[in-house]
Amino acid sequence: CSNTDGTFDPATVELLVDLGRDLELGLAHLRTTEALATSEERFRLLAENTGDVVLLTRDGVIEWISPSVRGVLGWSPDEMIGKKLEQLVHPDEVPILDQARGEVRRGVPNTYRTRVRCHDGSWLWVDTRTRPLFDLQGQPEGAVISTMWDTTSAVAAQAALEHAASHDSLTGLANRSLVLDELDRALASSRRTGLRTAVLLVDLDRFKYVNDSLGHAVGDSLLCTAADRMVAA
């Protein structure tokens, strides 16, 4: 490629520079492709061997989901592919899903809690952590990777704590704190609408004599029976 005197003419030099640049870019692309393939394989191995459900969605449609979905929700992966998330999330929580989706579109990872339909038709409380996937330029590529795990026991425990804080442990009726809160709301509604609010006081005559003569166990049973009858009425 050189001249007879061993030098390169400018056109040859420019050609060699271009070839070198193309070769460098090609090697860099090859290294990047190999790294991506290795990372994808590692991700797939992790996703397929975790107890949580890992899913890849695009525009709210499931493109890939880990085999663990069978143990958590009862669905097979093939049954989930192509489904929209709205088909699985409880209708009451679709707004939560929409809000999370809007945040992901802006590139913001988030975690949200919803009920998801199981294969047998029941509902399971789950937490879902989502984050967008980015291209090599650091821009969101439109796909979303999510991790979903069962939180039914945590939801039940939280509900039990909230119920215990606002209800009588013996009868299950609202305790004084909840009654006063409800009364405040009722009075506020009366002020807005002009409708009256009534408060009914129910007393059990000679209840002290029941405790003294028949014992507290019978007194507790009497309170529970009275509570059940009021609820039924």
Side-chain angles (χ1 to χ4, degrees), residues 139-165:
Q139 298 298 319
E141 65 171 37
V144 176
I145 189 73
S146 303
T147 305
M148 180 188 300
W149 63 95
D150 182 3
T151 54
T152 302
S153 58
V155 171
Q158 180 64 30
L161 287 174
E162 293 176 355
H163 186 274

Side-chain angles (χ1 to χ4, degrees), residues 2 10 30 35 46 48 53 59 64 66 81 87 99 106 108 116 119 127 135 149 155-156 173 176 193-194 210 213 228:
S2 63
L30 179 61
L46 283 172
E48 291 181 351
V53 179
D59 297 326
W64 182 87
S66 61
I81 301 300
Q87 296 176 261
Q99 180 179 353
R106 296 192 297 272
V108 181
V116 176
H119 188 272
D127 277 6
D135 58 24
W149 63 95
V155 171
L173 297 179
R176 179 178 300 183
T193 63
V210 174
S213 60
D228 291 342

Side-chain angles (χ1 to χ4, degrees), residues 159-208:
L161 287 174
E162 293 176 355
H163 186 274
S166 58
H167 291 77
D168 177 68
S169 60
L170 177 64
T171 64
L173 297 179
N175 62 16
R176 179 178 300 183
S177 176
L178 180 56
V179 168
L180 292 178
D181 288 342
E182 292 290 347
L183 183 58
D184 286 340
R185 281 192 284 270
L187 292 175
S189 176
S190 293
R191 287 190 289 270
R192 289 194 307 270
T193 63
L195 299 176
R196 292 183 177 182
T197 294
V199 177
L200 178 66
L201 175 64
V202 179
D203 192 16
L204 298 182
D205 290 340
R206 299 192 298 275
F207 178 70
K208 180 177 181 301

Side-chain angles (χ1 to χ4, degrees), residues 28-201:
H29 177 72
L30 179 61
R31 287 193 296 268
T32 301
T33 302
E34 291 176 345
L36 287 174
T38 302
S39 297
E40 182 177 343
E41 180 62 22
R42 289 176 177 173
F43 165 77
R44 188 175 295 275
L45 286 173
L46 283 172
E48 291 181 351
N49 289 278
T50 180
D52 298 337
V53 179
V54 182
L55 58 156
L56 178 69
T57 59
R58 192 181 302 273
D59 297 326
V61 178
I62 300 174
E63 292 188 350
W64 182 87
I65 193 165
S66 61
S68 54
V69 68
R70 189 186 298 275
V72 177
L73 298 177
W75 301 94
S76 70
D78 290 340
E79 291 175 309
M80 299 290 282
I81 301 300
K83 284 185 178 293
K84 292 185 176 182
L85 294 178
E86 288 88 343
Q87 296 176 261
L88 302 172
V89 173
H90 193 281
D92 292 347
E93 280 108 46
V94 169
I96 298 176
L97 176 64
D98 292 338
Q99 180 179 353
R101 185 176 296 162
E103 293 179 359
V104 171
R105 287 198 191 101
R106 296 192 297 272
V108 181
N110 62 86
T111 301
Y112 59 94
R113 176 169 291 176
T114 58
R115 284 168 288 180
V116 176
R117 186 187 300 276
C118 298
H119 188 272
D120 62 4
S122 62
W123 295 99
L124 186 75
W125 281 104
V126 299
D127 277 6
T128 304
R129 181 181 295 117
T130 64
R131 64 178 181 85
L133 290 182
F134 297 93
D135 58 24
L136 296 178
Q137 285 72 43
Q139 298 298 319
E141 65 171 37
V144 176
I145 189 73
S146 303
T147 305
M148 180 188 300
W149 63 95
D150 182 3
T151 54
T152 302
S153 58
V155 171
Q158 180 64 30
L161 287 174
E162 293 176 355
H163 186 274
S166 58
H167 291 77
D168 177 68
S169 60
L170 177 64
T171 64
L173 297 179
N175 62 16
R176 179 178 300 183
S177 176
L178 180 56
V179 168
L180 292 178
D181 288 342
E182 292 290 347
L183 183 58
D184 286 340
R185 281 192 284 270
L187 292 175
S189 176
S190 293
R191 287 190 289 270
R192 289 194 307 270
T193 63
L195 299 176
R196 292 183 177 182
T197 294
V199 177
L200 178 66
L201 175 64

